[in-house]
Amino acid sequence: VKSSPTMKVGTFYHWDISVTGNHIVIKINGNTMFNLYDQSSFSSGYTVLYCEDSRVTFKNVYIETP
């Protein structure tokens, strides 16, 4: 049985989300959580920060383009 990662309320986490072409890597506090290739047909779009059913604070958000 696999366990799901949990996040403690009131704790800040460092997220590093990298998208290069269709390669997506998501790290939380330096640990790779997702490393995948998106096979969808999207080549452009919007960036959205979203959290359902909770209050979230975002700080130091950077978006870099090549």
Side-chain angles (χ1 to χ4, degrees):
V1 174
K2 277 188 162 182
S3 64
S4 297
T6 59
M7 299 187 140
K8 294 180 183 176
V9 174
T11 302
F12 282 96
Y13 295 90
H14 176 88
W15 287 63
D16 182 1
I17 303 169
S18 172
V19 180
T20 305
N22 68 340
H23 187 208
I24 302 169
V25 178
I26 300 176
K27 295 180 181 181
I28 303 173
N29 290 341
N31 298 308
T32 301
M33 298 291 148
F34 297 96
N35 184 350
L36 59 99
Y37 288 87
D38 183 5
Q39 300 303 318
S40 69
S41 60
F42 298 110
S43 61
S44 65
Y46 296 97
T47 300
V48 178
L49 301 175
Y50 172 79
C51 186
E52 187 171 317
D53 297 332
S54 63
R55 191 175 131 215
V56 176
T57 302
F58 298 101
K59 67 179 187 177
N60 298 326
V61 176
Y62 301 97
I63 298 175
E64 299 178 11
T65 58

